[in-house]
Amino acid sequence: MAESKDCHVIVEIPVDEEHQQKLSSAITTITAIQNHPLMEISKSPGHLLLLKLWQREEDLSGRRIAARETRMDSIRREIFQICCLFFIFHALFFTILFTSVSEDHNDGNVVCRKWWIPSVLSVCTSFCVVFLVQVKLYRFWKVSRQLQRERGDGRAVTRCISELRMKGASFDLSKEPLTGKKMKSSSVEIKWKPLEWLSQYVVTICLVCFTGLVFPASRLILCA
């Protein structure tokens, strides 16, 4: 009686080294992705919500910074235009004075006695322009301080976002960016107020000094 036996044949499929390297590289990549902090954040609702809120705040901060920079450029152009008009006015003013002196050469005493009329007119106009420039400068430095605060707040939020992305789920959710007054209190900045004021309003000071020189110059031109 013949007995039938099942024969099991084992076939070995050779695998080259290149295929093994690709397979190990793929496994390493998958493991790294699974252990990546961003993957941990996506699995944690609290960390994911915090990341989205900070990214939104970072975007809004960037828009506010751009708007304030545009505002500062606009005010700077306005101040330059006003200063140009100021000097154009005085150029025309002196031109008219010289012309009146040459035409009324015979009545020099009469013109000299009325020297205060053009001087007062020039000073009043100059002080109006100086006041307008001072208002523009005040707005400029106010926007500049706001811009500095916005940049500080934006940097603080960016640092927190970077830290959150690096730490992943181990990031402390109670942590807040050091913005505004918190950041100001943590840093000590020493400034001499008079020097700071002079550096900010040097344009106004120059215009006032020029106006002070114009007042006696009118008498000198008319009575010389």
Side-chain angles (χ1 to χ4, degrees):
M1 186 173 179
E3 295 180 356
S4 61
K5 296 182 178 179
D6 295 334
C7 296
H8 298 280
V9 180
I10 299 173
V11 180
E12 294 183 357
I13 300 175
V15 179
D16 55 353
E17 294 182 359
E18 183 179 358
H19 183 73
Q20 288 181 353
Q21 290 178 356
K22 290 181 179 180
L23 183 61
S24 62
S25 176
I27 294 173
T28 304
T29 304
I30 294 173
T31 305
I33 292 175
Q34 291 177 349
N35 297 329
H36 196 273
L38 291 178
M39 185 63 68
E40 296 177 359
I41 292 173
S42 64
K43 294 178 181 178
S44 175
H47 289 84
L48 182 60
L49 178 60
L50 185 62
L51 178 62
K52 290 182 178 180
L53 289 175
W54 279 349
Q55 286 177 339
R56 182 173 178 272
E57 181 63 27
E58 185 182 27
D59 181 63
L60 292 176
S61 179
R63 293 182 183 181
R64 288 194 295 266
I65 289 172
R68 284 182 169 80
E69 288 177 345
T70 304
R71 178 60 179 160
M72 287 181 65
D73 292 337
S74 177
I75 296 174
R76 192 182 291 112
R77 285 194 298 268
E78 292 174 1
I79 293 173
F80 177 76
Q81 293 172 359
I82 293 172
C83 291
C84 289
L85 292 175
F86 176 83
F87 289 109
I88 290 172
F89 165 78
H90 282 93
L92 295 175
F93 174 76
F94 284 119
T95 302
I96 294 172
L97 282 185
F98 279 113
T99 305
S100 62
V101 169
S102 61
E103 291 179 354
D104 299 334
H105 184 70
N106 296 327
D107 299 331
N109 294 329
V110 177
V111 174
C112 182
R113 285 195 296 269
K114 297 180 180 179
W115 69 270
W116 59 271
I117 297 176
S119 298
V120 171
L121 176 63
S122 172
V123 169
C124 291
T125 306
S126 299
F127 275 113
C128 289
V129 174
V130 169
F131 176 77
L132 184 60
V133 170
Q134 178 65 18
V135 171
K136 295 291 183 180
L137 283 173
Y138 178 79
R139 292 178 181 175
F140 177 84
W141 290 112
K142 182 179 180 181
V143 176
S144 177
R145 288 189 292 270
Q146 293 174 352
L147 178 61
Q148 290 177 359
R149 275 198 306 271
E150 285 292 341
R151 284 175 175 172
D153 296 347
R155 285 193 294 267
V157 173
T158 303
R159 282 195 296 267
C160 288
I161 291 175
S162 301
E163 187 177 354
L164 174 58
R165 286 174 174 173
M166 288 188 295
K167 291 185 176 180
S170 61
F171 183 80
D172 186 9
L173 293 176
S174 63
K175 185 174 182 179
E176 295 181 359
L178 292 175
T179 59
K181 296 181 179 179
K182 296 179 182 178
M183 201 168 183
K184 187 176 181 180
S185 61
S186 62
S187 61
V188 179
E189 190 174 2
I190 300 174
K191 289 183 179 180
W192 193 40
K193 289 295 183 181
L195 184 60
E196 182 183 1
W197 190 90
L198 288 174
S199 64
Q200 290 180 354
Y201 300 107
V202 63
V203 177
T204 305
I205 295 171
C206 292
L207 294 180
V208 170
C209 294
F210 185 83
T211 303
L213 294 175
V214 168
F215 188 80
S218 302
R219 183 176 183 180
L220 181 64
I221 293 172
L222 295 176
C223 300

